[in-house]
Amino acid sequence: MAQLIKLEDYVSRYEWNVYRYPSQFIRMKQDNWKEMHNLWLNDDFAHNIKTDDPEPIMSKWKSFLKPDSRKTTTATELHDDPIDLPKTENDLRYYFLDKLFPLQLKWATSTATDVSFMPNDYYENDRLKYFLMRFPDTYLLMYYPIFNVKKAPVEGNIIFISPIGIEIIHMIEKQPGTLITADGERTWLVKEEAKQETKMLSPLLALKRTEKIVKSIMNQAGIALPVSKVVLSRTNHIASLKESYNTKIIGKHEYEDWFTEKRNLVSPLKNQQLKTAELLLKHCQTTAVKRPEWESDDDEAFLSGSGEKGS
């Protein structure tokens, strides 16, 4: 599960300490997967989920599986739906990742002292879920971050920071059957079935703007992690008349190869990767307010109690 280190301009735990949270998340995820998997293998899973207690009785999961106070789903809705109970190990994996998703959003919108107000529709954002749930733990995701450039806010594209490089991604998803033609630097052509051809703004413009910001920040710090640009569509074919420099055009025919390559990357977190993430986060805009004094942070209590070894 990739890690959401920045969501728009919301306050993130990773900007507070990017060297601590990635390894903490990986360790927490692995430990709790083993616990949940063992319960499922021993037929104890349904009992734990269906307990009269409004939260699961798995101690480590109490603060992670309970509904977020900012989400509209109630505890009764969470535990009374029998369809949610996984029947196969693959179902269990999806269940597990689905329950981690709200935690990711919480970490990307709050710290021990501050909180940002995120629209509830992010809980159902399929594109964000795709990037977080389908890629390895060592990928760090910045989802449309807002950079401070000469004291002005500039919205960036999706930024994927892996142990071996950075990909700046622009997603295009039109109706199936729509053909997209990379026709030029400023405009591209869109041809829907049985409709007239129209034009769209070239995604290369936004990609180049984000690339310029990222490279400028890295160059000032002397970091040489490779940076590439990607136009990505899972649903449409993209006809490219010519390749742009350092840019991959990934349409639906190329998608599986690209996706498999990302999924197959086996590498631990790298120091240069974390240093790059830290620098990019420092140049992002953050909008937040102080957390109310009476509001506790169960996640922080759990992490503090679990120790800092290995981070």
Side-chain angles (χ1 to χ4, degrees):
M1 189 176 200
Q3 302 189 53
L4 181 60
I5 67 170
K6 189 67 178 178
L7 176 62
E8 295 190 25
D9 65 340
Y10 307 134
V11 66
S12 164
R13 309 198 179 201
Y14 292 88
E15 63 188 276
W16 182 39
N17 191 334
V18 77
Y19 291 94
R20 172 192 178 188
Y21 280 96
S23 57
Q24 287 278 15
F25 178 83
I26 292 171
R27 187 161 59 252
M28 179 271 295
K29 174 176 172 278
Q30 291 172 344
D31 290 347
N32 286 284
W33 164 252
K34 289 177 183 177
E35 184 172 350
M36 180 176 278
H37 187 240
N38 286 335
L39 284 169
W40 183 80
L41 288 175
N42 295 323
D43 294 326
D44 291 331
F45 182 77
H47 170 72
N48 277 274
I49 296 300
K50 289 295 185 177
T51 179
D52 291 335
D53 190 321
E55 299 171 2
I57 64 172
M58 293 174 286
S59 60
K60 289 182 181 179
W61 276 87
K62 281 191 174 182
S63 62
F64 301 131
L65 293 189
K66 70 180 180 182
D68 190 284
S69 60
R70 289 166 287 167
K71 191 179 179 183
T72 55
T73 304
T74 66
T76 302
E77 292 171 332
L78 181 65
H79 299 299
D80 284 353
D81 187 357
I83 299 175
D84 283 342
L85 295 177
K87 296 177 176 61
T88 68
E89 185 167 320
N90 199 46
D91 290 341
L92 184 69
R93 290 184 185 277
Y94 280 109
Y95 181 93
F96 176 78
L97 294 177
D98 194 52
K99 297 307 177 187
L100 272 182
F101 182 65
L103 173 68
Q104 288 261 37
L105 292 179
K106 187 176 182 180
W107 282 18
T109 58
S110 66
T111 66
T113 59
D114 299 277
V115 63
S116 297
F117 297 103
M118 177 195 74
N120 276 336
D121 56 11
Y122 263 121
Y123 286 103
E124 308 302 327
N125 189 308
D126 290 335
R127 185 176 292 184
L128 179 56
K129 285 185 176 181
Y130 160 75
F131 277 105
L132 293 180
M133 294 185 181
R134 303 301 303 278
F135 295 89
D137 300 336
T138 51
Y139 279 87
L140 307 179
L141 176 68
M142 302 180 74
Y143 196 75
Y144 298 108
I146 298 176
F147 290 99
N148 283 315
V149 180
K150 296 180 180 178
K151 298 183 179 181
V154 179
E155 183 178 304
N157 280 100
I158 296 168
I159 300 174
F160 232 3
I161 309 172
S162 82
I164 61 173
I166 296 174
E167 284 188 315
I168 302 169
I169 301 172
H170 186 107
M171 289 196 77
I172 302 176
E173 293 186 321
K174 305 290 186 181
Q175 289 293 326
T178 300
L179 173 64
I180 300 166
T181 303
D183 187 46
E185 291 291 314
R186 298 203 62 81
T187 59
W188 285 14
L189 302 177
V190 178
K191 180 67 171 71
E192 296 184 36
E193 292 180 328
K195 290 187 178 181
Q196 284 189 332
E197 196 171 64
T198 59
K199 291 185 177 182
M200 62 175 283
L201 194 65
S202 169
L204 299 180
L205 298 173
L207 284 173
K208 288 180 178 178
R209 182 172 63 244
T210 304
E211 179 190 40
K212 184 177 180 181
I213 294 171
V214 169
K215 284 189 170 181
S216 174
I217 293 170
M218 293 172 62
N219 288 340
Q220 289 177 19
I223 295 177
L225 203 63
V227 179
S228 62
K229 303 184 293 293
V230 178
V231 180
L232 178 66
S233 179
R234 298 173 292 175
T235 57
N236 308 105
H237 174 57
I238 304 177
S240 181
L241 303 181
K242 64 176 182 177
E243 285 205 12
S244 297
Y245 175 71
N246 202 30
T247 304
K248 297 177 183 177
I249 306 295
I250 308 295
K252 67 177 184 178
H253 300 308
E254 300 82 21
Y255 169 72
E256 284 300 329
D257 288 341
W258 177 86
F259 178 66
T260 300
E261 179 186 341
K262 303 297 162 223
R263 292 266 296 179
N264 288 344
L265 175 64
V266 178
S267 173
L269 292 163
K270 297 290 182 68
N271 183 67
Q272 184 154 281
Q273 175 193 15
L274 296 174
K275 185 177 180 181
T276 300
E278 181 182 45
L279 283 168
L280 294 179
L281 288 170
K282 283 182 177 179
H283 285 81
C284 286
Q285 178 173 295
T286 294
T287 303
V289 298
K290 289 297 179 184
R291 184 190 288 271
E293 293 180 6
W294 60 84
E295 184 178 298
S296 64
D297 187 350
D298 296 331
D299 301 345
E300 283 303 313
F302 169 75
L303 290 176
S304 297
S306 66
E308 295 294 322
K309 62 181 180 180
S311 61

